[in-house]
Amino acid sequence: MNDFKEKLSLARKKLEAADAVVVGAGAGLSAAAGLDYSGDEYRKEFADYIKKYGFPDLYSSSFYEFPTEEQRWARWARHIDYIRFRPGAMPLYKELYDLVKDKNYFVITTNVDAQFRKAGFDSSRIFEVQGDYGLMQCAVGCHPKLYSDKETVENILAHSHDLTVDKEYVPVCPVCGGNMDVHVRKNQYFVQDKAWDEAASRYEEFMKRHADSGRVVLLELGIGYNTPAIIRFPFERVVYHNPNATLIRLNAEYSDGPAETASRTISFTENMGEVIDKLKATAN
């Protein structure tokens, strides 16, 4: 199915008839929403880091092995503020909320920017699998507790100089006295606290109720092959096993799916904002 209007019409009908809608979102959604990891805004905001280290984008810069915690946290503070604290709810996320707010929905996302919560989505219906830039943890996970990093980020930004910060502003684990880290899944030390476990359980229960036989729509947004086992492949399995399920996939680069489920997959390579806007307009 290649006709844009035809795809929109079918997607609208599936959304209207759905018993449940599962929103699965990855980095492509936030990029489409305007959170700039590599464009002009990034190059302006991180010009000094680009000049010194040659970082091509914000994502790759987060893996750089700085020699000191003072340098590492100076970069992370600016990164977190730029992506997590400074932006409000992006218009695309608000439009997505308008599309599903009156439906029986659940969100699973690998994004760590809290945009779903900012846009008004019910926090009890969100599973942020990979963490949250607004939280920090012991770097080696010595205890299963998370801490807000907002004050830490503000203090570091206020006292940074020459791409570093004085040691007194670098966070230290209150239990073991070691380093702290941003709460982002990158190794075996990622902390899954009680809130994370509860969100995982709510998502699992939602899928048990609706994925196997109900008229469920899996609305997949910007999911590539960085961590496909979290959302992309499970969504495809649901559509494979449930003849009443529909996958609506919005992805400019990776829109194709298994041939076995092609008849129940509606793929859009068009601009994500335009697609959601038109789905919202036709659904109201």
Side-chain angles (χ1 to χ4, degrees):
M1 187 187 304
N2 296 315
D3 182 77
F4 184 48
K5 290 184 178 179
E6 184 181 356
K7 290 190 295 184
L8 280 174
S9 177
L10 181 58
R12 173 183 57 82
K13 290 177 181 177
K14 294 297 184 180
L15 283 166
E16 287 180 345
D19 301 316
V21 176
V22 186
V23 178
L29 174 60
S30 285
L35 293 180
D36 183 4
Y37 275 70
S38 60
D40 291 342
E41 188 175 354
Y42 158 72
R43 287 190 288 271
K44 178 181 178 181
E45 187 78 19
F46 292 86
D48 47 359
Y49 278 98
I50 295 170
K51 181 179 180 180
K52 183 169 183 177
Y53 297 102
F55 296 143
D57 55 64
L58 195 59
Y59 179 75
S60 61
S61 73
S62 65
F63 294 97
Y64 186 80
E65 294 289 340
F66 287 95
T68 69
E69 284 294 287
E70 291 89 337
Q71 290 172 299
R72 187 172 76 89
W73 271 101
R75 194 216 67 87
W76 263 121
R78 198 187 304 184
H79 181 146
I80 295 166
D81 182 63
Y82 173 70
I83 292 295
R84 173 64 171 83
F85 292 132
R86 204 186 313 168
M90 307 301 282
L92 181 55
Y93 275 88
K94 291 180 179 179
E95 292 206 345
L96 180 59
Y97 175 65
D98 286 340
L99 178 64
V100 304
K101 65 182 180 182
D102 296 324
K103 305 182 185 303
N104 180 25
Y105 74 83
F106 207 103
V107 173
I108 178 170
T109 181
T110 55
N111 294 341
V112 293
D113 49 35
Q115 276 294 314
F116 281 102
R117 280 178 280 141
K118 290 181 180 182
F121 286 81
D122 184 344
S123 293
S124 68
R125 297 184 177 212
I126 303 171
F127 181 24
E128 295 169 313
V129 184
Q130 302 291 68
D132 179 357
Y133 278 153
L135 299 171
M136 59 183 174
Q137 63 167 81
C138 172
V140 295
C142 79
H143 65 292
K145 185 175 179 179
L146 302 174
Y147 304 85
S148 170
D149 60 19
K150 185 172 177 57
E151 185 176 352
T152 294
V153 166
E154 291 173 349
N155 284 334
I156 292 174
L157 291 175
H159 298 92
S160 292
H161 53 88
D162 301 322
L163 307 187
T164 190
V165 68
D166 294 339
K167 190 176 183 63
E168 64 183 288
Y169 298 106
V170 174
V172 175
C173 177
V175 175
C176 72
N179 297 333
M180 294 289 278
D181 216 339
V182 185
H183 185 237
V184 176
R185 188 187 300 276
K186 62 180 182 178
N187 56 34
Q188 71 272 30
Y189 301 121
F190 178 77
V191 168
Q192 297 177 181
D193 67 347
K194 181 180 179 181
W196 191 99
D197 288 337
E198 290 174 347
S201 295
R202 288 193 296 269
Y203 175 67
E204 182 179 358
E205 180 60 30
F206 190 88
M207 294 300 279
K208 282 182 179 179
R209 289 199 307 268
H210 301 290
D212 291 339
S213 59
R215 292 175 298 181
V216 60
V217 168
L218 303 141
L219 182 57
E220 184 192 286
L221 306 151
I223 302 289
Y225 286 97
N226 192 19
T227 53
I230 296 175
I231 298 173
R232 188 181 182 95
F233 293 163
F235 275 21
E236 290 176 352
R237 284 196 294 271
V238 170
V239 179
Y240 180 82
H241 291 289
N242 180 0
N244 296 311
T246 301
L247 173 61
I248 301 176
R249 173 169 281 164
L250 279 63
N251 200 309
E253 296 182 41
Y254 309 107
S255 62
D256 292 338
E260 297 87 346
T261 58
S263 63
R264 297 193 299 279
T265 300
I266 308 169
S267 296
F268 292 93
T269 58
E270 294 83 1
N271 177 274
M272 198 177 297
E274 178 185 0
V275 175
I276 292 175
D277 182 62
K278 290 187 179 298
L279 283 175
K280 181 169 69 75
T282 53
N284 294 335

